[in-house]
Amino acid sequence: MQEALRFQPVDAEPVDDADIVVKPRYLRRVTENVARGLSLTIRGLRKAFGDNEVLRGIDLHIPAGQFVAIVGRSGCGKSTLLRLIAGLDAPTAGSIAFGEQPRAQDVRVMFQEPRLLPWARVLSNVEVGLGRERSSADAQARAERALVEVGLGDKRAQWPSVLSGGQKQRVALARALVSQPRVLAFDEPLGALDALTRISMQQLLERVWRDQASPRSW
Amino acid sequence: MSLIDSLPRVGAPKLPKVDGLIPWIVPLAIVLIWQLACVTGFVPSRVLPAPTDVALAGWKLLLSGELVRNIWVSFWRASIGFVIGGGIGFAFGLANGLSQLSAKLTDTTLQMVRNIPHLALIPLVILWFGIDESAKLFLVALGVFFPIYLNTLHGIRTVDPQLIEMGRIYGMTDGELFRRVIFPGALPSIFVGLRFALGIMWLTLIVAETIAASSGLGYMAMQAREFMLIDVVVLSILIYALLGKLADSASRALERLTLSWHPAFQKK
Ligand SMILES: Nc1ncnc2c1ncn2[C@@H]1O[C@H](COP(=O)(O)OP(=O)(O)O)[C@@H](O)[C@H]1O
Ligand SMILES: [Mg+2]
């Protein structure tokens, strides 16, 4: 059997600001996959902004290749957790460990906003995702492949400003995928999209996940 | 074939060709009315010479070489002063936008100096430099410094922090971050500063040359005033207008070239 998700319950007593606790019961395992991905182990993770304690002791194990969704009310700390996992912020206490030490381009985040460079063509926006490998000889070919994978091969020479919201998020997805990351963290990347676009994006994400089999959480 | 098909179509299809000329209709009309007013004696030529007289005066000065020499001197002063003041302003804008320490150290001082109208320094500048070239260059540089400084600083400070964070996540070095994210993000604001600075550059130069110079367009206008050559005075003013327009067009062209990604510059 595969190792199941494990959560240590957050302190049971009622808290004054219930919104800012990650509620384990909202966490649900979606599906699992054999992996070239990395496993993720979080122990006793705490994060406080001043007096505001957002995360209070999170314990979480995600086996390699698993697809995990973190669900919770707005402001409960989902983004904060993801930012800690992606190494964008330092935890107040606790540890985050991957199965093995990831290289910089092994962990990629997709945000609620596409965060494309408006002054770079679609293709060079995708190339940004290659990180340090940007200057390698096959950089452009890889970026083009990633663009084709998200179905935007014909938009390579466009400015981001002419794309629709869903297309921008697909470019951001191509940028996240181009370095073939082993951990992918999505922070409500579909939140700002309309329902129909969201459904097709979800299918795209699932397909990509099945093809690449790295652990993803969102 | 119906009658309607054979009728000539008016308007719409022809418009694009005329489009580029539309901005010139008003100036042309003004010149025409001006000419009419002078020819009919409605405006005495002591008050305002006719456009043809101004053109004639220009032609004479052109032949004597005086016009070209004075325009060249003014143009040279404007450019050098602009490069010096703009360069320093840009450097301070970059430094204070990128480094907290640098901003803490110099921004308050610069904001204080900014509140002194730079033309108020003319008496002091004349005492320091006489009516030397350096006096004019100093004034132009000082005038140009602040719009460039302020807008560069503002541009860098308002670059989307989410994009900067994205750049860091994707492993950009500080140099790449500046080149690919910060500078392009600050560019629209820098251009605003540039256009302001060009306006101030001409203004400063006119005043400085009018008060203290022995060559240049402002000097030419002042000399003409002494000899009651009103046509030359008007000519100088028109040339200033033309040079200002040229500088503005140049900066717009540069803007279109470098900001082609910006939705405001995408025409289809
Ligand atoms: N940089 C920060 N400084 C202070 N408080 C923050 C910061 N980032 C997030 N917070 C607080 O942490 C809480 C959780 O925010 P977030 O993780 O963005 O929630 P979610 O993504 O689940 O909607 C919120 O109450 C927010 O105000
Ligand atoms: Mg969030």
Side-chain angles (χ1 to χ4, degrees):
Chain A
M1 272 305 289
Q2 278 235 289
E3 204 174 348
L5 276 177
R6 279 200 322 258
F7 298 107
Q8 180 177 298
V10 187
D11 44 25
E13 74 218 55
V15 280
D16 28 328
D17 191 353
D19 265 0
I20 55 169
V21 181
V22 169
K23 297 186 173 79
R25 65 172 180 279
Y26 285 144
L27 290 157
R28 93 192 124 91
R29 211 176 68 190
V30 172
T31 177
E32 49 202 50
N33 203 322
V34 205
R36 70 168 214 94
L38 293 176
S39 69
L40 173 67
T41 309
I42 294 174
R43 289 229 169 79
L45 189 68
R46 289 173 175 279
K47 179 68 183 177
F49 297 103
D51 289 339
N52 181 6
E53 201 169 28
V54 178
L55 303 178
R56 315 181 181 191
I58 302 226
D59 288 86
L60 172 63
H61 178 78
I62 304 178
Q66 202 162 64
F67 201 124
V68 173
I70 298 174
V71 186
R73 256 183 278 172
S74 171
C76 73
K78 304 182 297 291
S79 300
T80 306
L81 178 60
L82 273 190
R83 292 176 60 83
L84 293 177
I85 292 173
L88 300 180
D89 274 331
T92 310
S95 70
I96 297 173
F98 293 99
E100 61 190 81
Q101 190 56 37
R103 299 167 305 157
Q105 66 267 34
D106 281 343
V107 183
R108 287 292 186 232
V109 194
M110 221 178 128
F111 299 96
Q112 182 154 7
E113 327 77 33
R115 300 199 187 185
L116 303 179
L117 297 175
W119 40 84
R121 305 270 178 186
V122 164
L123 189 68
S124 18
N125 262 298
V126 176
E127 275 176 46
V128 166
L130 288 166
R132 289 287 148 80
E133 298 166 8
R134 192 160 27 228
S135 44
S136 69
D138 60 343
Q140 188 173 338
R142 287 174 66 182
E144 269 170 29
R145 242 178 290 134
L147 258 187
V148 171
E149 194 178 355
V150 300
L152 288 178
D154 56 332
K155 297 276 191 255
R156 41 169 301 183
Q158 299 280 13
W159 296 116
S161 62
V162 303
L163 301 183
S164 70
Q167 290 174 327
K168 283 182 193 158
Q169 263 321 1
R170 270 146 75 190
V171 176
L173 177 64
R175 181 179 63 190
L177 292 176
V178 71
S179 63
Q180 295 179 308
R182 301 172 70 183
V183 177
L184 248 182
F186 296 122
D187 186 5
E188 304 187 62
L190 314 180
L193 304 178
D194 62 275
L196 282 178
T197 316
R198 194 150 53 207
I199 290 169
S200 65
M201 275 292 282
Q202 258 157 9
Q203 288 163 348
L204 175 65
L205 288 178
E206 246 173 85
R207 202 196 74 218
V208 164
W209 168 71
R210 230 175 279 118
D211 292 351
Q212 289 208 353
S214 48
R216 285 125 212 273
S217 29
W218 58 3
Chain B
M1 205 167 90
S2 72
L3 180 65
I4 292 176
D5 286 327
S6 64
L7 285 173
R9 287 174 190 219
V10 202
K14 274 194 175 174
L15 226 103
K17 261 190 179 174
V18 189
D19 228 28
L21 300 177
I22 290 177
W24 298 103
I25 293 177
V26 174
L28 212 69
I30 290 177
V31 170
L32 271 177
I33 295 170
W34 174 9
Q35 179 75 30
L36 269 175
C38 290
V39 170
T40 56
F42 183 69
V43 176
S45 62
R46 270 176 297 109
V47 177
L48 192 64
T52 43
D53 293 340
V54 175
L56 198 67
W59 180 245
K60 280 187 198 149
L61 286 171
L62 194 68
L63 288 185
S64 73
E66 213 176 318
L67 186 63
V68 175
R69 204 185 65 237
N70 282 319
I71 289 181
W72 175 247
V73 166
S74 290
F75 179 77
W76 182 85
R77 281 174 188 149
S79 322
I80 303 284
F82 184 87
V83 168
I84 294 173
I88 299 175
F90 183 63
F92 268 101
L94 285 189
N96 290 359
L98 298 173
S99 148
Q100 288 289 323
L101 180 68
S102 170
K104 275 205 182 113
L105 196 65
T106 60
D107 191 52
T108 308
T109 314
L110 290 174
Q111 296 293 347
M112 255 157 32
V113 177
R114 181 171 77 96
N115 287 312
I116 306 169
H118 67 295
L119 293 177
L121 295 181
I122 288 181
L124 191 63
V125 169
I126 292 180
L127 284 177
W128 284 348
F129 302 102
I131 60 165
D132 205 12
E133 282 312 304
S134 36
K136 266 88 69 183
L137 295 186
F138 179 83
L139 281 171
V140 171
L142 193 65
V144 160
F145 173 88
F146 286 104
I148 300 266
Y149 166 70
L150 291 173
N151 286 285
T152 305
L153 182 63
H154 176 258
I156 289 181
R157 290 241 170 110
T158 51
V159 172
D160 186 354
Q162 295 189 332
L163 285 184
I164 296 178
E165 188 183 68
M166 184 280 297
R168 289 211 184 286
I169 299 168
Y170 282 98
M172 291 189 188
T173 61
D174 283 352
E176 279 176 313
L177 202 62
F178 177 74
R179 205 164 36 78
R180 302 204 56 177
V181 182
I182 298 175
F183 183 69
L187 207 53
S189 175
I190 294 175
F191 269 112
V192 172
L194 183 76
R195 307 239 322 255
F196 266 112
L198 287 174
I200 291 187
M201 171 185 86
W202 289 120
L203 176 79
T204 312
L205 194 66
I206 297 166
V207 175
E209 283 185 345
T210 307
I211 293 173
S214 53
S215 59
L217 278 171
Y219 171 77
M220 189 173 92
M222 282 315 279
Q223 282 297 101
R225 183 198 59 100
E226 300 225 329
F227 296 106
M228 301 293 278
L229 298 172
I230 195 165
D231 45 358
V232 178
V233 174
V234 174
L235 178 74
S236 317
I237 293 169
L238 287 182
I239 291 175
Y240 273 127
L242 211 65
L243 287 177
K245 170 75 188 146
L246 271 181
D248 195 58
S249 301
S251 76
R252 270 169 193 268
L254 197 65
E255 214 172 356
R256 261 199 304 280
L257 206 70
T258 51
L259 299 186
S260 50
W261 55 269
H262 203 284
F265 292 90
Q266 283 166 9
K267 274 189 284 180
K268 278 267 166 88

